[in-house]
Amino acid sequence: ERPGAPARHVTARIAPLGSRLVLALVEDRTRERRVEAVRRDFVANVSHELKTPVGAIRVLADAVADAADDPEAVRRFAGRMLTESDRLTQLVQQIIELSRLQGDDPLEAPVAVDVDGVIASAIDTSAVDAQRKGISVVAAGASGLQVFGNEEQVLAAVTNLVANAVAYSDAGSSVTVTTQATDGSVEISVVDQGIGIPSDEIDRIFERFYRVDPARHRSTGGTGLGLSIVKHVAATHGGEVKVWSVEGQGSTFTLTLPQHLPSDSRTSGQTMVP
Ligand code: ADP
């Protein structure tokens, strides 16, 4: 045996371990940088979105000052200031909600969430808007199903889907929420007969602040954040959200969430491979 052999052997055994460690550190830095880029992007988007209503309020305040001797104009400008400040409030509320949801891991302390209860609360939240527009919102029967995760997050997701269905439907139409168990998961579908989504825009609607042609539905006063919240909740629960839509006919959003913890399969008597 050559004297250097054992040393080479040791080096050879350390090298792959060492390179794996370096790789892991590099991957970690890459993820860190990606998270930082997403955060920077978010802050830039938020600043841009906040500037619009703030700018409008500023212009309207000037207009009110200039129109001091025209009470009718003052009333009109003040009304628009109220609309813009409501929009600002809604935007800030949703930004806070999204960043709070992003902060906690729903699978850290998961509970069994009663799906029928969540749907009933979500419908309740949209009841006033639905009634004002003459839209009926119904849950298609009790399912008795449960999903595993964070109740507040699941509620936020379903509430956003129902609110959108009402916001993007015309008077007299109906919204139905159905529930179905499939292979370890629960599918919650919100079906509307509303304006639908153009097929070339459908891939973008889950992006933060993205709205399909804001001019088309300025009156709904949305923020473009609702579906980001739904997508985030689906992802952190190990589920998904899908959409089918025909412009002018309606949309169906299906949120799929697991009925069990992902680790349940590991504790069901199978031997774990280390
Ligand atoms: P918003 O606050 O604008 O509703 P969302 O993120 O919830 O923001 O939705 C993004 C966009 O997707 C909406 O602006 C709208 O154009 C479209 N959208 C969402 N849900 C529906 C629906 N049920 N029917 C038609 N369009 C929808």
Side-chain angles (χ1 to χ4, degrees):
E1 288 231 339
R2 285 187 298 131
R8 255 209 321 272
H9 186 67
V10 171
T11 317
R13 284 183 58 176
I14 287 174
L17 198 76
S19 58
R20 237 186 342 221
L21 197 72
V22 171
L23 202 67
L25 287 174
V26 169
E27 268 172 11
D28 218 45
R29 285 308 305 270
T30 313
R31 197 176 313 124
E32 228 172 74
R33 264 190 231 124
R34 210 167 39 224
V35 168
E36 177 57 21
V38 168
R39 200 191 59 79
R40 233 179 303 123
D41 232 38
F42 183 56
V43 172
N45 281 344
V46 166
S47 320
H48 175 79
E49 294 295 324
L50 292 179
K51 269 186 198 153
T52 311
V54 170
I57 291 168
R58 171 88 246 193
V59 169
L60 287 163
D62 273 346
V64 168
D66 289 347
D69 51 358
D70 181 352
E72 177 46 39
V74 168
R75 233 190 325 272
R76 207 171 54 241
F77 293 140
R80 281 173 53 197
M81 277 174 91
L82 201 64
T83 309
E84 291 297 334
S85 59
D86 282 351
R87 179 168 162 64
L88 195 59
T89 307
Q90 190 194 10
L91 201 55
V92 169
Q93 270 168 355
Q94 283 218 305
I95 289 166
I96 290 170
E97 181 169 17
L98 184 61
S99 69
R100 198 165 44 82
L101 292 184
Q102 280 173 336
D104 45 68
D105 176 4
L107 300 185
E108 211 166 62
V111 296
V113 180
D114 165 38
V115 173
D116 298 330
V118 163
I119 292 172
S121 306
I123 291 177
D124 216 39
T125 304
S126 284
V128 173
D129 287 335
Q131 201 174 21
R132 203 179 44 222
K133 289 180 77 175
I135 295 171
S136 78
V137 188
V138 290
S143 68
L145 290 166
Q146 294 179 325
V147 291
F148 236 81
N150 178 297
E151 175 149 26
E152 193 194 358
Q153 292 207 10
V154 176
L155 181 60
V158 179
T159 302
N160 273 298
L161 291 180
V162 173
N164 278 350
V166 171
Y168 302 112
S169 290
D170 293 323
S173 70
S174 62
V175 172
T176 315
V177 186
T178 66
T179 317
Q180 191 185 347
T182 57
D183 192 24
S185 294
V186 175
E187 286 181 3
I188 302 166
S189 294
V190 180
V191 187
D192 70 49
Q193 308 165 329
I195 60 173
I197 301 152
S199 53
D200 57 337
E201 308 242 25
I202 210 153
D203 288 341
R204 302 207 55 194
I205 57 171
F206 292 95
E207 290 172 21
R208 282 191 201 120
F209 298 114
Y210 190 82
R211 307 194 69 211
V212 178
D213 183 10
R216 186 175 63 144
H217 45 241
R218 196 182 300 282
S219 59
T220 60
T223 60
L225 282 176
L227 290 178
S228 320
I229 291 174
V230 179
K231 188 180 160 191
H232 176 79
V233 171
T236 52
H237 280 76
E240 59 178 1
V241 55
K242 286 190 178 155
V243 54
W244 292 266
S245 187
V246 179
E247 216 182 341
Q249 290 184 26
S251 312
T252 295
F253 283 80
T254 299
L255 174 67
T256 307
L257 296 171
Q259 285 194 62
H260 310 283
L261 267 179
S263 59
D264 282 2
S265 57
R266 272 188 263 146
T267 52
S268 63
Q270 290 168 1
T271 323
M272 261 175 67
V273 182

